[in-house]
Amino acid sequence: MIDQPDKLYLERYRNERIDERLSADAVDGLVSIDRTKTLWISSMLTLGTVGAAMTATPGAVLLFVITTGVTLCLGHSLGMHRRLIHNAYQCPLWLEYLLVHLGVLVGLAGPITTLRVHDQRDWAQRQEACHDYFSQQATWWRDALWQLCYRIELRQPPQIHIEPRIAANPVYRFMERNWMLQQLPWAILFYAIGGWAWVCWGIGTRVSVGVIGHWLIGYLAHNRGHATWEVRGACTQGFNIPGTALLTMGECWHNNHHAYPGSAKLGLLPGQWDPGWWVLSGMHRLDLAWDIRLPEDLQPRPELQQIADQQPETASCVTGAACNG
């Protein structure tokens, strides 16, 4: 039997993977080079800069623009972040697999590693203090080096319990083991259609821009920008980065995300464009997404305080129908 306080705790944190009651230290850790990450980004940068410069064609550049937009929006934002990590909406399993695969193609890591790294970082940022690796408060060049080429090992890490539907899923385990090789079928297809120009721009340049852009937005979103909410007691706050909504597919509204991490909608205020939300709304119209969570669907957070004279708009589906219908 579970006593009543534990029932309340499990109910509140049923979507959390870290048991915050257990002892863990977000400060004491060792940062060391990750040879796999270093080799990966180095090879993609070489292919995506030198190779791309030598083979540039209008078709290859167009391929880069299209594939970057698709993988960032459908893959990283909708598949990895809003669906797999935060469970902010439900969709058919075949569609989830497709979206997560597109997210793997961004080139950051496999789905299980991406989830684990994200959750550990979010947990660390909620503590009273955390290592600069998590807060991204180091100088920009050091943070770039750390995030792109290094890893951190905490001496007392938190326990992260990934739900079996992800951790034991054979499809996700396959993606995890072969996340770099998933670029290969697309590289073969691109070569067959457009030669080395399509490979350089459709793989090397796209991955380089996706990975480095992910670091840059993360760095800016934890150091400067606009804020409407403060998470009291957290050592790291998120900031909104206006002007980058289309480039980030709505992921730039990071202050909103720190305030309501389980919300499927990131652009909460008027004028905050959110392409990921636009696509998700279209999926809802086609009955391909349901149980869409918005700020009003989440558990109240006593530590959340409004710090600007702005009120979040009432978030609702574009169709006007109930999002959870």
Side-chain angles (χ1 to χ4, degrees):
M1 293 290 291
I2 301 175
D3 63 23
Q4 189 63 23
D6 279 347
K7 284 184 177 180
L8 293 175
Y9 178 89
L10 292 174
E11 174 64 19
R12 180 177 179 183
Y13 292 100
R14 63 188 183 279
N15 292 317
E16 297 283 347
R17 301 180 180 95
I18 296 179
D19 191 337
E20 301 208 35
R21 297 172 299 178
L22 301 179
S23 175
D25 185 352
V27 177
D28 188 9
L30 175 64
V31 178
S32 60
I33 192 167
D34 186 319
R35 291 180 176 83
T36 300
K37 287 172 65 175
T38 302
L39 180 61
W40 173 248
I41 191 61
S42 298
S43 61
M44 288 296 105
L45 276 172
T46 302
L47 185 65
T49 55
V50 178
M54 296 173 61
T55 61
T57 65
V61 175
L62 180 61
L63 175 70
F64 158 73
V65 173
I66 293 174
T67 55
T68 299
V70 169
T71 53
L72 288 181
C73 185
L74 298 182
H76 178 72
S77 186
L78 282 180
M80 283 287 197
H81 196 200
R82 307 191 205 203
R83 173 68 191 117
L84 198 69
I85 292 175
H86 288 291
N87 198 33
Y89 68 93
Q90 303 297 315
C91 68
L93 187 58
W94 66 265
L95 181 56
E96 178 182 307
Y97 287 156
L98 174 61
L99 296 177
V100 172
H101 167 67
L102 292 174
V104 172
L105 291 180
V106 172
L108 292 169
I112 296 174
T113 296
T114 299
L115 188 156
R116 185 178 298 276
V117 168
H118 177 282
D119 279 15
Q120 186 178 58
R121 182 184 302 278
D122 275 15
W123 164 80
Q125 291 177 352
R126 292 194 301 267
Q127 307 310 302
E128 293 182 356
C130 72
H131 195 285
D132 284 348
Y133 185 96
F134 296 120
S135 67
Q136 299 192 251
Q137 299 297 305
T139 57
W140 70 268
W141 56 268
R142 175 173 291 180
D143 191 67
L145 191 64
W146 278 357
Q147 305 303 327
L148 297 177
C149 301
Y150 283 65
R151 65 175 179 268
I152 187 170
E153 293 183 14
L154 292 174
R155 301 189 192 279
Q156 289 183 271
Q159 292 190 17
I160 302 177
H161 304 285
I162 300 176
E163 54 269 41
R165 87 161 197 94
I166 297 175
N169 186 301
V171 175
Y172 290 140
R173 290 170 70 88
F174 173 82
M175 290 186 188
E176 179 69 20
R177 289 193 305 271
N178 304 284
W179 67 272
M180 287 182 284
L181 290 177
Q182 289 184 60
Q183 308 286 344
L184 186 58
W186 293 97
I188 294 173
L189 176 63
F190 293 162
Y191 181 80
I193 297 173
W196 282 111
W198 276 39
V199 175
C200 291
W201 284 87
I203 303 295
T205 308
R206 173 182 56 77
V207 171
S208 299
V209 168
V211 174
I212 295 176
H214 181 268
W215 159 74
L216 179 59
I217 291 298
Y219 178 76
L220 294 175
H222 293 112
N223 284 277
R224 59 181 63 85
H226 298 159
T228 304
W229 291 278
E230 177 187 2
V231 181
R232 288 174 293 184
C235 63
T236 307
Q237 303 296 324
F239 299 95
N240 294 328
I241 313 298
T244 62
L246 295 181
L247 293 175
T248 64
M249 305 302 164
E251 296 288 330
C252 65
W253 309 118
H254 207 61
N255 179 252
N256 299 351
H257 182 59
H258 270 230
Y260 302 104
S263 174
K265 188 175 186 180
L266 303 182
L268 300 177
L269 298 173
Q272 293 182 342
W273 291 3
D274 187 352
W277 172 254
W278 301 342
V279 174
L280 184 58
S281 298
M283 290 167 53
H284 176 74
R285 291 196 196 98
L286 297 173
D287 292 328
L288 292 175
W290 57 88
D291 289 345
I292 299 173
R293 295 196 298 163
L294 298 170
E296 59 265 31
D297 302 315
L298 306 178
Q299 291 284 344
R301 300 182 66 188
E303 69 274 23
L304 188 62
Q305 179 180 14
Q306 187 173 335
I307 59 175
D309 188 19
Q310 294 176 298
Q311 292 293 335
E313 65 177 344
T314 301
S316 59
C317 287
V318 176
T319 58
C323 285
N324 295 324

